[in-house]
Amino acid sequence: MSTNTRVFVGRLAELAVFDPLGDPVGRVRDVVLTFSVQRSRPRVIGLVVEVPGRRRVFVPMTRVTSVDGGQVITTGLVNMRRFEQRPNETLVLAELIERRVRVRDEHGEQVDATVEDIGLERDNARSWSVTRVFVRRTSTRSSLTRLGRRRGETFVVPVEDVTGLRDTADEQSAARLLEHYEDLKPADLAEAIHDLPVKRRAEVAAALADDQLADVLEELPEDEQVELIAGFGNDRVADVLEAMEPDDAADLLAEFPTERREVLLQLMEPDEAADLRRLLTYDENTAGGLMTTEPVILGPDASIAEALAVVRRQELSTTMACTVFVCRPPLETPTGKFLGMVHIQRLLREPPHASIGTILDRDVEPVTTEATVGQVTRMLATYDLIALPVVDENGLLLGAVTVDDVLDHLLPDDWREDRHEVTGSHEVIPHG
């Protein structure tokens, strides 16, 4: 099989990776480089490959036998442990694209430019290195045209004519890095951010919108949540807490010292803060500690069409959209008298004009805030439920515990680190 010995990272990224038998291994997500004072050219040591399950692993370039025909062929030997970047390693897409550099143009003059792509080449010894850099001359005018295109002449230069490629003071913007992650779900984005160097991780977190950052934080253990937002001011932290699910926000708040916790609560909207204060009073091993205070709640006179419109809301998680809790007014927790539940499958089977009060499931007994995790788990399993109502002593709805809340609680703290089992016939080899 013919093998390309020159390739740009922009072309390499997203290519499918196969073993020698043609079985799929994964897809290229980034290229790993190392810089050395002894070498004029950065050395390419491997690829970051996303394997099934959205797990990112390291594939050394010595295991790459072919880059041709829109695919990458490997020897089939893959380290299935999650890739963790080392201090001396640089990721091309994550760190070098859009980095500001100085280059020598065709006239021999030094000009300012930004990195658009990186060219790789394999020598006769089968080792890969960076040989060329595709750059865009920095424009003195606005960097974007009306159509969103970047201004400035583009050209390719030898890597030896580039100054500042490894200078972290002029690294790419976090916003540009996030363009590579825009198709990821929150859980996968959280894992991708976790793999970045600590400084880069904080920059990317700061560049996320409040709702995006809230989604990412909900996928991380509390200690990593605190680490990720450690450098944020109180106003930003309060905004992010408001965007999080109340139960997750309460868990994060519990990690802060009492004084700062109170400052953050004071900065939040009074209604949001009241929910969190209430959640913080419950033991974490009870239904009160697990529940969210914002389930889908409607009155008995609401139509089925209205209920379906509510559960279609994009911001609702899958588990929260499966169940409508029906109560007397007021319809915000703590509500009026809890009447029953309506499951989304039942909503889909009934005429849109009918009221949800006529199709209530009254067979499921709600639990109190003191119910243990074991009791909640047995109730969910016994009745095949996605969510379980939590009420006070007067039968007023306080919130709901969903099956994902219980799973998060029951799984070990490091389950996100080891959630992917090694599958397939790929042999485990050391990173690098």
Side-chain angles (χ1 to χ4, degrees):
M1 178 180 292
S2 63
T3 303
N4 280 346
T5 57
R6 294 181 178 180
V7 64
F8 275 95
V9 173
R11 176 181 175 273
L12 188 62
E14 304 297 330
L15 288 186
V17 180
F18 296 90
D19 67 14
L21 299 178
D23 294 327
V25 175
R27 191 168 295 277
V28 177
R29 288 302 189 188
D30 216 324
V31 175
V32 186
L33 309 178
T34 58
F35 290 90
S36 171
V37 294
Q38 288 80 27
R39 296 170 58 98
S40 60
R41 295 175 171 180
R43 186 165 70 96
V44 183
I45 63 170
L47 306 175
V48 179
V49 175
E50 186 176 284
V51 298
R54 294 282 191 173
R55 186 176 184 80
R56 297 191 176 203
V57 302
F58 178 78
V59 176
M61 293 305 291
T62 55
R63 305 293 175 180
V64 175
T65 60
S66 172
V67 180
D68 200 11
Q71 62 186 13
V72 176
I73 306 297
T74 71
T75 62
L77 303 177
V78 177
N79 176 358
M80 295 303 290
R81 292 188 297 273
R82 185 167 63 85
F83 168 73
E84 292 186 6
Q85 186 179 0
R86 294 173 178 174
N88 65 326
E89 296 172 347
T90 299
L91 298 175
V92 174
L93 294 178
E95 299 179 81
L96 294 188
I97 302 304
E98 211 178 61
R99 177 165 290 185
R100 295 188 296 275
V101 293
R102 295 274 292 173
V103 301
R104 186 181 295 112
D105 65 10
E106 64 274 16
H107 305 297
E109 299 178 358
Q110 290 286 328
V111 298
D112 294 326
T114 57
V115 176
E116 293 285 313
D117 207 346
I118 298 290
L120 315 179
E121 186 170 336
R122 188 171 69 171
D123 59 25
N124 293 331
R126 297 181 64 84
S127 64
W128 290 78
S129 58
V130 175
T131 58
R132 297 169 296 165
V133 182
F134 179 53
V135 298
R136 183 179 299 274
R137 188 192 299 267
T138 302
S139 174
T140 56
R141 296 178 293 171
S142 172
S143 60
L144 295 179
T145 68
R146 291 182 180 179
L147 297 178
R149 300 189 181 94
R150 290 180 172 82
R151 298 183 187 274
E153 173 194 2
T154 58
F155 51 96
V156 177
V157 294
V159 68
E160 292 84 358
D161 291 342
V162 180
T163 304
L165 192 60
R166 64 182 300 180
D167 185 2
T168 57
D170 286 323
E171 61 190 5
Q172 72 173 168
S173 67
R176 180 64 183 268
L177 171 59
L178 286 172
E179 291 178 9
H180 299 293
Y181 296 151
E182 62 183 359
D183 62 331
L184 296 184
K185 294 180 179 179
D188 302 318
L189 178 57
E191 186 171 344
I193 291 175
H194 175 84
D195 292 341
L196 296 173
V198 174
K199 177 176 177 291
R200 194 67 172 144
R201 195 184 307 162
E203 292 170 349
V204 172
L208 289 169
D210 290 344
D211 57 341
Q212 290 178 302
L213 181 55
D215 289 340
V216 167
L217 291 176
E218 289 170 0
E219 301 296 334
L220 296 172
E222 283 79 18
D223 58 338
E224 291 189 24
Q225 294 177 10
V226 173
E227 178 186 323
L228 198 60
I229 62 175
F232 291 1
N234 286 334
D235 286 336
R236 177 79 198 279
V237 175
D239 289 341
V240 173
L241 286 167
E242 287 183 340
M244 294 176 69
E245 291 294 329
D247 52 333
D248 293 309
D251 290 341
L252 176 53
L253 263 178
E255 297 295 313
F256 289 106
T258 304
E259 290 184 2
R260 191 179 186 194
R261 188 189 310 163
E262 185 57 34
V263 169
L264 292 170
L265 287 167
Q266 292 287 347
L267 290 170
M268 296 175 67
E269 292 293 328
D271 290 345
E272 301 273 359
D275 284 343
L276 297 190
R277 290 183 191 279
R278 181 151 41 92
L279 288 172
L280 287 167
T281 64
Y282 301 121
D283 188 294
E284 65 176 354
N285 296 309
T286 64
L290 293 175
M291 71 179 181
T292 178
T293 56
E294 296 181 351
V296 177
I297 303 170
L298 291 173
D301 296 330
S303 69
I304 289 173
E306 181 181 350
L308 287 171
V310 171
V311 299
R312 284 195 195 102
R313 294 203 311 258
Q314 185 175 358
E315 65 270 20
L316 284 180
S317 66
T318 303
T319 50
M320 294 308 300
C322 287
T323 310
V324 176
F325 297 90
V326 183
C327 306
R328 298 289 183 193
L331 300 180
E332 293 184 358
T333 57
T335 68
K337 178 72 173 177
F338 173 69
L339 301 177
M341 307 158 57
V342 180
H343 309 288
I344 189 170
Q345 283 186 321
R346 184 67 187 274
L347 291 173
L348 294 171
R349 292 197 296 262
E350 300 294 333
H353 62 271
S355 64
I356 59 174
T358 63
I359 57 170
L360 292 181
D361 180 355
R362 302 178 187 269
D363 294 335
V364 177
E365 288 292 329
V367 297
T368 65
T369 55
E370 292 77 25
T372 65
V373 175
Q375 291 172 318
V376 171
T377 304
R378 284 191 291 274
M379 287 282 289
L380 289 169
T382 299
Y383 297 102
D384 295 326
L385 296 174
I386 300 297
L388 191 64
V390 182
V391 299
D392 65 11
E393 62 277 7
N394 298 314
L396 309 183
L397 186 70
L398 299 177
V401 179
T402 61
V403 67
D404 58 324
D405 295 327
V406 174
L407 284 174
D408 273 344
H409 187 84
L410 294 178
L411 288 169
D413 292 339
D414 61 349
W415 71 268
R416 292 175 176 86
E417 299 293 327
D418 303 315
R419 61 183 172 181
H420 304 292
E421 297 180 356
V422 176
T423 59
S425 59
H426 302 299
E427 180 180 335
V428 174
I429 61 174
H431 174 178

